[in-house]
């Protein structure tokens, strides 16, 4: 832990120097430019806003976000904003990805379900933190692209499926944690059922294209469900039969 924090602060110092010395908002070409932009993103958007979990921070520092966005948005990949990924969908704002990951409190031996693969970025962030990630995407083209991208980038413990995530992935349930990255009108009962006792689910709940509540659902050791609104967010809608 101490080692990770030392490393992080070393990286953040480099990022701070870059922020002072470079007036540009577009990363310099090449991997070093992207690494520096990523360090700046983590410091200014994530650590400053209160994310403290060192494993989450480490993962946000290591995943090359610019490889998860369409080419025309590469220069904006580390900006404090969601970005279009095609088919009317978005890759979420970096801070929201970090916050939702942190609040799940996942462990190295956990199995996690994600609903809403999109670009595959959130799944890649989870990949380093847990044993296995199952992720479901309803748009076939996005599911295929994300599966190829994750394979090419060597995220070996992520399985992508094209289907309606409202119904979860019962063959691999129960899950230690579930993350839903599209806004649902209500909390899907199949997902609650597929959550392990002692598990946590984070899900935006509310109407399409309105401000929604980000809800933390906890299932305690005897199966009792509690919910808590943790912040207001704006996500694309959960589509599908329901
Ligand atoms: N997590 C993604 C990432 O890291 O790029 C961003 C997710 S984007 C905000 C929401 C995604 O949920 C979209 O790709 C959308 O097609 C997908 N989606 C919407 N309804 C769905 C459903 N019923 N089942 C599975 N995926 C769904």
């Amino acid at each position: 832990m101490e080692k990770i924090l030392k490393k992080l602060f070393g990286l953040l110092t480099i990022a701070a120097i870059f922020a002072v010395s470079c007036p540009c908002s577009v990363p310099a070409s090449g991997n070093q430019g992207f690494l520096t932009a990523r360090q700046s993103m983590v410091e200014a958007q994530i650590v400053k806003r209160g994310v403290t979990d060192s494993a989450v921070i480490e993962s946000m520092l290591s995943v090359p976000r610019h490889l998860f966005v369409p080419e025309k948005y590469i220069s904006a990949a580390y900006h404090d904003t969601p970005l279009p990924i095609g088919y009317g969908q978005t890759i979420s704002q970096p801070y929201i990805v970090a916050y939702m990951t942190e609040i799940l409190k996942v462990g190295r031996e956990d199995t996690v379900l994600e609903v809403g693969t999109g670009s595959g970025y959130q799944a890649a962030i989870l990949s380093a933190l847990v044993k296995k990630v199952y992720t479901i995407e309803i748009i076939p083209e996005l599911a295929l692209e994300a599966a190829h991208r994750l394979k090419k980038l060597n995220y070996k413990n992520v399985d992508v499926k094209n289907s309606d995530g409202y119904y979860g992935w019962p063959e691999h349930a129960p899950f230690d944690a579930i993350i839903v990255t599209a806004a649902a009108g209500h909390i899907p009962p199949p997902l609650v059922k597929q959550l392990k006792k002692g598990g946590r689910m984070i899900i935006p709940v509310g109407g399409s294209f309105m401000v929604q509540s980000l809800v933390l659902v906890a299932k305690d050791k005897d199966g009792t469900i509690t919910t808590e609104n943790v912040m207001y967010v704006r996500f694309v809608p959960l589509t599908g039969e329901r």
Side-chain angles (χ1 to χ4, degrees):
M1 171 88 167
E2 200 186 318
K3 227 169 123 189
I4 291 173
L5 283 175
K6 267 192 189 155
K7 192 173 162 196
L8 171 67
F9 280 115
L11 294 173
L12 294 182
T13 309
I14 296 167
I17 292 166
F18 178 84
V20 170
S21 62
C22 177
C24 50
S25 63
V26 175
S29 58
N31 284 339
Q32 184 55 44
F34 289 119
L35 174 62
T36 308
R38 195 152 65 244
Q39 290 160 351
S40 281
M41 171 193 84
V42 169
E43 183 201 17
Q45 302 170 32
I46 292 166
V47 174
K48 270 206 180 128
R49 289 187 178 131
V51 172
T52 58
D53 185 316
S54 56
V56 174
I57 291 168
E58 191 69 16
S59 192
M60 296 294 299
L61 279 171
S62 70
V63 176
R65 184 172 162 93
H66 61 282
L67 300 181
F68 289 80
V69 301
E71 216 168 316
K72 64 178 170 180
Y73 295 115
I74 279 187
S75 64
Y78 297 99
H79 290 183
D80 190 13
T81 180
L83 289 170
I85 54 170
Y87 309 94
Q89 305 304 321
T90 54
I91 178 174
S92 303
Q93 181 189 8
Y95 168 65
I96 293 294
V97 173
Y99 179 85
M100 289 174 77
T101 307
E102 179 175 64
I103 208 164
L104 284 177
K105 295 190 193 303
V106 289
R108 298 266 171 218
E109 290 306 308
D110 284 359
T111 298
V112 179
L113 174 69
E114 180 193 22
V115 174
T117 314
S119 66
Y121 179 69
Q122 174 73 72
I125 292 292
L126 283 164
S127 163
L129 304 174
V130 302
K131 190 168 176 188
K132 184 81 193 178
V133 181
Y134 293 98
T135 179
I136 306 175
E137 170 56 52
I138 202 163
I139 298 176
E141 293 85 348
L142 284 178
L144 199 64
E145 278 172 29
H148 282 153
R149 180 178 293 122
L150 289 161
K151 188 167 179 221
K152 197 171 153 198
L153 295 174
N154 219 16
Y155 293 99
K156 289 190 174 139
N157 61 343
V158 182
D159 284 1
V160 182
K161 176 167 92 155
N162 168 225
S163 82
D164 185 347
Y166 180 94
Y167 302 99
W169 199 329
E171 296 87 335
H172 299 294
F175 301 100
D176 297 285
I178 299 178
I179 179 166
V180 183
T181 62
H186 59 267
I187 298 168
L191 297 185
V192 176
K193 193 171 168 201
Q194 289 171 36
L195 189 60
K196 217 179 245 182
K197 285 181 179 164
R200 291 152 82 86
M201 165 161 59
I202 188 80
I203 174 168
V205 181
S208 302
F209 305 109
M210 295 165 58
V211 171
Q212 302 125 5
S213 290
L214 190 59
V215 179
L216 179 65
V217 180
K219 189 185 265 191
D220 75 12
K221 296 283 177 205
D222 62 18
T224 306
I225 303 293
T226 53
T227 62
E228 182 192 348
N229 294 348
V230 293
M231 71 160 73
Y232 292 104
V233 287
R234 200 184 282 261
F235 274 83
V236 292
L238 191 76
T239 57
E241 279 179 35
R242 297 300 294 260

